[in-house]
Amino acid sequence: MPVLLALLFAALPALAADPLLFSFFRNNGEDGLYLAASTDGLLWTELNAGKPLLTPAVGEAKLMRDPSVVRAPDGVFHMVWTTAWEGKTIGHASSRDLIHWSPQQAIDVMAGVDGVANCWAPELFLDRGEFWILWASTVAGRFPETLGAASHNNNHRIYATHTRDFKSFSPPTLFYDPGFIVIDAALFRPDTERFAMVVKNETLTPPAKNLFLTYSASLEGPWTKPGPPISGPDWAEGPSPARIGPYWYIYFDKYRDHRYGAIRSRDLEHWEDVTASVHFPPGARHGTVFRAPAAIVENLRKGSR
């Protein structure tokens, strides 16, 4: 019987993955959340007739930059975002359909830490029912050895907190310090043995401004030595990893070129630049790729008609 069952399942067509969505912002983030959809990870079509689905209402400057969305096992989507260029909070809201959202909350992710200049580009990662939130902060007095290597005296490292309910949060901890200035960290799980993280080297002097990978067997670290740059010669930020078919894609904001870029790999070592093949909505900035059920995506498409 086991052999017969194996033959039966081998003959069945593979289950189709949920459609791809991309959350993004425009301009300075004052408009709110935009979404686009794709069936192949290359052509992205804007949803909701190009109108924002949620407008910012919390935080020091009431912006909605760098929206990161994750769908929990109970079907609820959770989103975090940058609320201001300076401050100690990030935004959070949740939704079951990406149209109707919970009241927004400003989370003081750096509570109890003095000298915090900012909290940039929070990213959500779900691990065994626990939400990890990663972001970049400059904290006065920390890492003096790299002060001055980025613009405006920014001296970022990656910090983290985790929560199960977005009501109580673990104390903020230093999550990643490779010995140089970093921002825009995004976690993913390439296999059952390790975690991977794509990060931006934010060093300006000498200029780096590229993306690299690092790995760990645990979210508590330690993380491997930073890998070589993978994003090419152009400045890149806001990476978003996604598994699509046999490839791992990493999308990123080529912000000086005012367009989106992408690379893909089967093994996370040999990368193909597919920037010329990807098409995102005009003005899309620093977003996150995630998946949603087809029925939810279809309801979002109705706003485009």
Side-chain angles (χ1 to χ4, degrees):
M1 183 63 70
V3 174
L4 290 176
L5 286 174
L7 290 173
L8 174 62
F9 285 120
L12 292 174
L15 293 175
D18 285 337
L20 295 156
L21 289 182
F22 175 68
S23 60
F24 64 97
F25 76 99
R26 284 189 167 104
N27 301 313
N28 194 37
E30 63 275 10
D31 297 341
L33 168 68
Y34 296 92
L35 291 177
S38 177
T39 58
D40 62 3
L42 299 174
L43 176 62
W44 294 86
T45 304
E46 192 159 359
L47 300 174
N48 199 44
K51 299 176 293 185
L53 287 131
L54 182 67
T55 55
V58 299
E60 293 88 348
K62 294 182 173 60
L63 299 177
M64 191 170 282
R65 299 173 59 89
D66 321 315
S68 173
V69 181
V70 164
R71 185 171 183 248
D74 62 1
V76 175
F77 296 92
H78 290 270
M79 182 174 71
V80 294
W81 65 88
T82 305
T83 62
W85 286 96
E86 298 178 352
K88 296 177 65 175
T89 69
I90 65 169
H92 167 261
S94 61
S95 173
R96 286 195 172 273
D97 60 7
L98 300 171
I99 297 173
H100 306 93
W101 291 83
S102 68
Q104 298 173 38
Q105 65 177 129
I107 306 169
D108 185 358
V109 288
M110 287 297 257
V113 180
D114 294 329
V116 176
N118 50 29
C119 294
W120 284 4
E123 285 283 337
L124 276 176
F125 181 75
L126 184 60
D127 179 55
R128 293 173 296 181
E130 193 162 44
F131 296 92
W132 285 72
I133 310 173
L134 273 60
W135 69 92
S137 280
T138 292
V139 181
R142 296 188 182 182
F143 312 109
E145 67 279 7
T146 56
L147 185 63
S151 57
H152 307 295
N153 282 328
N154 288 328
N155 198 14
H156 294 97
R157 297 300 190 273
I158 304 301
Y159 292 83
T161 183
H162 44 91
T163 180
R164 290 185 178 272
D165 55 11
F166 289 92
K167 296 178 181 177
S168 59
F169 300 85
S170 66
T173 58
L174 177 65
F175 187 82
Y176 182 61
D177 168 29
F180 51 86
I181 300 172
V182 285
I183 64 171
D184 296 358
L187 288 165
F188 62 105
R189 196 78 190 264
D191 51 55
T192 59
E193 302 299 321
R194 58 184 177 161
F195 296 90
M197 185 166 57
V198 54
V199 191
K200 180 189 179 184
N201 184 341
E202 181 68 345
T203 304
L204 180 61
T205 308
K209 302 288 189 173
N210 53 50
L211 306 178
F212 65 89
L213 288 168
T214 180
Y215 300 90
S216 176
S218 166
L219 287 175
E220 284 77 20
W223 293 89
T224 60
K225 181 181 177 181
I230 59 174
S231 52
D234 300 323
W235 290 14
E237 66 183 15
S240 180
R243 183 64 185 247
I244 305 173
Y247 294 102
W248 276 104
Y249 281 74
I250 295 179
Y251 301 91
F252 48 89
D253 188 346
K254 295 165 70 90
Y255 56 103
R256 291 209 304 183
D257 295 340
H258 306 290
R259 69 159 300 170
Y260 243 78
I263 54 176
R264 68 183 183 184
S265 174
R266 292 175 180 267
D267 59 9
L268 299 180
E269 293 183 7
H270 304 89
W271 293 92
E272 175 189 6
D273 189 339
V274 292
T275 296
S277 300
V278 296
H279 300 278
F280 281 87
R285 298 290 314 280
H286 191 153
T288 299
V289 176
F290 62 104
R291 293 187 182 272
I296 288 177
V297 177
E298 181 58 27
N299 282 337
L300 290 164
R301 287 190 191 280
K302 291 177 181 178
S304 304
R305 298 172 185 166

